[in-house]
Amino acid sequence: MAVSGGTARQTGIDEVLERVRAGYGRIGARAAYEAARDGDALLVDIRYAALRERDGLIPGALVVERNELEWRLDPQGSHRLPEATSHDLRVVVICNEGYASSLAAASLHQLGLHRATDLVGGFQAWREAGLPVEPCAR
């Protein structure tokens, strides 16, 4: 909520997204694919299980549920994944359409992961770009 001249103004999600996205450069599907292929980025899929089962997985992407993301990627955390090696790690967060991933990337920035970003358009943009997708094993 913002206060202007003594009057409180409610902040909507569109404004929040615009503000957090202004804090870092987002990445497109092809550039994310190339960065991961070249070993310059860790793709992290935060979609919930039903979407992964329905639409498939990005080969090589690390699946981390959204509610565990910060604990798993904090290089200083006791619950970190082996891939969470440093604050310089380039993480590309992927959700279904590129909204929740923006908020997640901003949260990773707060942990000091200054190279964290998210995929514009999310998994749907990845798939529409014709990039590799594999079925989710049940």
Side-chain angles (χ1 to χ4, degrees):
M1 179 181 344
V3 177
S4 173
T7 305
R9 182 179 64 78
Q10 299 298 321
T11 302
I13 189 61
D14 292 333
E15 185 177 336
V16 170
L17 281 172
E18 183 178 327
R19 188 170 50 237
V20 300
R21 286 173 174 169
Y24 63 88
R26 300 179 78 208
I27 191 168
R30 178 67 53 189
Y33 170 77
E34 291 169 359
R37 180 196 63 204
D38 296 344
D40 185 43
L42 175 66
L43 304 180
V44 179
D45 187 343
I46 64 169
R47 294 175 301 143
Y48 55 89
L51 287 177
R52 294 190 311 267
E53 290 171 7
R54 182 189 76 189
D55 293 337
L57 299 169
I58 295 171
L62 185 64
V63 174
V64 179
E65 297 287 335
R66 174 62 191 100
N67 62 331
E68 296 180 357
L69 184 68
E70 291 81 0
W71 284 267
R72 300 296 187 212
L73 292 183
D74 179 1
Q76 297 176 345
S78 60
H79 293 40
R80 73 181 177 276
L81 293 169
E83 293 85 354
T85 56
S86 79
H87 285 95
D88 197 42
L89 179 65
R90 185 176 184 197
V91 176
V92 178
V93 183
I94 302 166
C95 68
N96 194 48
E97 294 182 343
Y99 295 100
S101 58
S102 294
L103 299 174
S107 181
L108 293 177
H109 276 255
Q110 291 178 336
L111 290 176
L113 291 157
H114 61 95
R115 296 180 71 206
T117 187
D118 76 309
L119 181 63
V120 176
F123 179 85
Q124 298 306 319
W126 179 279
R127 186 169 60 181
E128 288 171 18
L131 295 168
V133 173
E134 61 188 19
C136 183
R138 289 184 181 235

